[in-house]
Amino acid sequence: MNTRIYVLKFPKEVIDQPIISNLVKKYDLEFNILKATILLQQEGVMVLEFLGHKANVKKGIAYLNEMGVTVKSMAGNIHRDDEKCYQCGACTGVCPTGALSLHRPDMAVLFDEEKCTACGLCVSVCPARAMEVSLNGSVAELAA
């Protein structure tokens, strides 16, 4: 499964279309609305987290583009502050890609940035606030 955060800008001509509903039905995508401002006869903006197979996400984004929706990926990557991290392992239980894992027998928390999809789940569960998400080049800590 692939998880990414996107900023969608809807032109006023498509505000009344069931675009997000079609993403669920036609492309088997799940979503979490993080922020939305959509008013009739005005441009709309949504920040969504998509969850789905990578191929379906690509098809869904192609559909959005066909509808005139501008799509920009928001999250670039996750960074771990090793000085803050005290190796509790809370992040390993929520990581959907296995980018965070426990190394046995020393119980060290390993972070494989190549496997990370920047979904941000680890950021919200980290009690030490050692995990940070980079949003379009700037690092921002997400509150729990």
Side-chain angles (χ1 to χ4, degrees):
M1 288 293 211
N2 187 32
T3 304
R4 288 271 185 212
I5 300 171
Y6 295 95
V7 177
L8 310 178
K9 291 188 180 179
F10 297 82
K12 63 182 179 181
E13 297 80 23
V14 299
I15 292 296
D16 61 344
Q17 301 295 313
I19 294 173
I20 302 303
S21 174
N22 286 336
L23 288 173
V24 174
K25 291 178 184 176
K26 294 181 180 181
Y27 303 101
D28 194 28
L29 294 176
E30 295 178 31
F31 65 92
N32 182 21
I33 300 173
L34 303 175
K35 183 176 181 177
T37 304
I38 300 174
L39 302 171
L40 286 175
Q41 301 305 315
Q42 295 183 21
E43 182 179 84
V45 177
M46 290 182 85
V47 179
L48 292 179
E49 178 183 29
F50 283 134
L51 173 66
H53 292 286
K54 200 171 197 172
N56 291 352
V57 172
K58 285 184 180 185
K59 289 176 187 176
I61 290 171
Y63 162 73
L64 290 169
N65 289 325
E66 288 172 20
M67 295 298 295
V69 178
T70 304
V71 181
K72 293 189 179 179
S73 179
M74 188 171 172
N77 58 10
I78 298 287
H79 168 75
R80 180 174 69 184
D81 183 337
D82 289 326
E83 292 193 17
K84 288 183 182 178
C85 180
Y86 51 81
Q87 307 289 311
C88 71
C91 56
T92 63
V94 298
C95 183
T97 64
L100 289 156
S101 61
L102 283 175
H103 181 264
R104 298 184 192 273
D106 61 353
M107 302 303 284
V109 176
L110 303 180
F111 179 44
D112 184 349
E113 291 184 39
E114 293 295 316
K115 290 182 180 178
C116 182
T117 62
C119 70
L121 293 174
C122 59
V123 177
S124 60
V125 301
C126 180
R129 298 289 181 239
M131 303 304 289
E132 302 168 330
V133 63
S134 173
L135 303 172
N136 290 336
S138 63
V139 173
E141 287 189 20
L142 298 179

